[in-house]
Amino acid sequence: MALRVCVTGAAGQIAYSLLYSVAKGDVFGKDQPVILTLLDIPPMMGVLEGVVMELQDCALPILQEVIATSDEREAFTDIDVAMLVGAMPRREGMERKDLLKANAKIFKSQGKSLDQYAKKTVKVVVVGNPANTNALIAMKCAPSIPKENFSCLTRLDQNRAKSQIAGKCSVPTSAVKKVTIWGNHSSTQFPDAMHAVVVKDGKDIQASEAVNDDAWLKGDFITTVQKRGAAVIAARKLSSAMSAAKAICDHVRDWVQGTADDDWVSMGVISDGNSYGVPEGLVYSFPVKLSGGKWTIVDGLAVDAFAREKMDVTAKELVEERDAAFAFIAD
Ligand code: NAX
C-alpha cells in the first residue's frame, strides 16, 4: 500500500529539496511506494506545475502519484503524514504579532481540514514559522486526532548543534549523540550539550570532556546555533532550505522507524506539565526517544541553574505566543 504524504508550501524553496528526498525513499524506505499531495496557494499553482513536471522527470520508482492542489480537502484526504511547510513569511514592516496572526489563521484552517479529512493516525510535522505555536493551533483545531500526532521541527537546530560539536572535536557528526534542543524554534531555544556524548577512539565520552572548553559550550556554541538561521540568510540571501529539508526527513524517518538505543532526538511535542517544569499545553522541544511510531520524553536528566534559566526563558516566550495566537483564533 502506498503512503499518502502531504507537503504544504510545495512550491517553496524547502519543498524543492524535500520532495525529491521523500520521493526517492529517504524517509519511508526505498521500497515503500508514496503518493504525494502538494498544497500551495492559488497564485503558486503555475510554479507548482513546474515542480510536478520535475518530479515526473526524475522517474522515481516509488513515486506512484503526484496531486497538486490549492484545496485543503484534496490535499489532506486520507493522508498518513503531513509536512506543513507552507506559512506566511515575515514581510518588511510586519510586526511579530501580525505574523502570528496571519499564521494562526492558516494553521486554524489546516487543523480543521486535517480533523475532517486526514486519517486519525496521521503524523504531522509543522515547519512553517512560528513552528511551535502553529503546531499547537493545528492540534487544537483537530480534536479528533491524538495530540501526540502533532509535532514541530527542531531537528534542524539539533543537526546544527551536532555539527558544531563534531567540528570542535574533529569527529564525524555520527560520533555525536544525545544533543538536545529545548523549547522554541526561535532565538530563545536552548541548545544543550551537557548530556551529549562523543565517540572518540571507540569510546563514549561526555561532550564536555571531549570539547574541553566550558566557556565555548556555555557561550559561542549556544549563540551560534541560536543564530545559525540568520547567518545562513545573511550569506545566502535566502533562508535555510537544503538543511531544513534534510532535517524534516530525519524527523519523520526517526518518528516512523525509531531512534537508536544509545541516542535521542529533539522534537517539539505537547507538554503535559510533568516534564522538566515546562508548563502544560505548549509545543515545546524536548529530548525524545521514538519507537513503534510513538515518542516518549527522555526523563531524569539533571537540570542545573544555568539550564533552568534558559529553559524557562524559552517557555515564557512560548506561553506569550500561545496566548496571543489563541486570542486570534477565537475571533
Ligand atoms: P518559501 O517562501 O520559499 O515557501 C513557502 C511556500 O508556502 C510558498 O510557496 C507559499 O506560497 C506557501 N504558502 C503560503 N501560505 C500557504 C498556505 N496557506 N497553504 C499552503 N502553502 C502556503 O519558504 P521556505 O523557505 O520554503 O520556508 C517555509 C517555512 O519554513 C517558513 O515559514 C520558514 O520560516 C520555515 N522554516 C522553519 C524551520 C524550522 O526549523 N522549523 C527552518 C527553515 C525555515 O526557516
Side-chain angles (χ1 to χ4, degrees):
M1 267 280 272
L3 283 174
R4 288 183 88 88
V5 181
C6 173
V7 176
T8 73
Q13 55 149 1
I14 293 177
Y16 195 71
S17 292
L18 176 63
L19 292 170
Y20 174 60
S21 295
V22 174
K24 77 180 182 25
D26 288 355
V27 180
F28 305 104
K30 306 281 176 212
D31 299 318
Q32 172 60 57
V34 289
I35 296 169
L36 287 175
T37 68
L38 311 183
L39 181 75
D40 212 296
I41 52 176
M44 297 306 285
M45 285 304 106
V47 174
L48 195 53
E49 212 174 293
V51 175
V52 173
M53 284 190 248
E54 282 211 70
L55 278 167
Q56 288 165 344
D57 297 349
C58 287
L60 295 159
I62 61 163
L63 183 57
Q64 216 170 70
E65 197 184 342
V66 185
I67 298 155
T69 181
S70 57
D71 174 20
E72 287 179 2
R73 178 160 70 104
E74 199 180 358
F76 291 156
T77 296
D78 288 336
I79 54 169
D80 299 284
V81 174
M83 301 175 172
L84 305 184
V85 180
M88 171 74 75
R90 191 171 192 154
R91 302 224 169 82
E92 234 180 296
M94 212 176 185
E95 300 269 335
R96 197 176 160 78
K97 75 169 177 3
D98 300 330
L99 185 76
L100 205 58
K101 188 172 185 177
N103 281 298
K105 199 166 153 232
I106 293 174
F107 285 85
K108 178 181 180 181
S109 168
Q110 294 190 355
K112 283 183 170 176
S113 295
L114 284 167
D115 197 52
Q116 248 182 306
Y117 306 119
K119 286 187 182 157
K120 299 303 167 202
T121 51
V122 66
K123 286 183 165 51
V124 182
V125 54
V126 176
V127 180
N129 278 317
N132 301 53
T133 300
N134 289 342
L136 186 64
I137 290 168
M139 175 195 295
K140 194 177 156 68
C141 297
S144 70
I145 297 170
K147 286 185 167 63
E148 293 73 25
N149 295 20
F150 288 83
S151 68
C152 85
L153 186 78
T154 54
R155 184 62 171 266
L156 175 56
D157 307 300
Q158 181 198 310
N159 286 348
R160 287 166 172 165
K162 209 175 184 178
S163 163
Q164 290 298 316
I165 294 169
K168 185 85 173 168
C169 299
S170 306
V171 295
T173 49
S174 57
V176 182
K177 297 181 284 191
K178 299 185 177 175
V179 177
T180 305
I181 303 296
W182 299 95
N184 201 0
H185 168 71
S186 75
S187 56
T188 67
Q189 66 176 261
F190 173 38
D192 178 8
M194 288 308 153
H195 309 282
V197 166
V198 173
V199 187
K200 233 177 168 181
D201 305 323
K203 276 198 304 203
D204 278 12
I205 49 175
Q206 285 301 308
S208 51
E209 194 185 318
V211 169
N212 195 22
D213 185 348
D214 228 37
W216 182 79
L217 274 179
K218 289 189 164 170
D220 282 356
F221 162 69
I222 293 174
T223 49
T224 301
V225 177
Q226 287 173 332
K227 295 180 183 163
R228 188 68 160 184
V232 170
I233 293 176
R236 219 172 75 87
K237 317 291 175 232
L238 284 170
S239 56
S240 310
M242 176 173 43
S243 55
K246 159 67 167 54
I248 298 167
C249 292
D250 289 346
H251 176 112
V252 179
R253 182 201 61 228
D254 288 351
W255 200 353
V256 173
Q257 299 185 16
T259 40
D261 288 343
D262 62 349
D263 203 358
W264 64 60
V265 294
S266 298
M267 58 197 259
V269 294
I270 188 73
S271 59
D272 59 5
N274 298 318
S275 301
Y276 297 103
V278 174
E280 188 182 353
L282 298 176
V283 171
Y284 189 99
S285 180
F286 287 102
V288 298
K289 282 194 170 273
L290 298 157
S291 173
K294 297 197 181 317
W295 53 264
T296 348
I297 294 174
V298 175
D299 62 12
L301 299 176
V303 174
D304 63 12
F306 177 82
R308 180 77 267 153
E309 196 238 315
K310 296 212 161 345
M311 287 159 71
D312 290 347
V313 166
T314 191
K316 183 168 175 281
E317 183 182 51
L318 281 172
V319 168
E320 287 164 9
E321 273 187 19
R322 175 193 63 191
D323 293 349
F326 280 8
F328 293 137
I329 61 166
D331 302 342

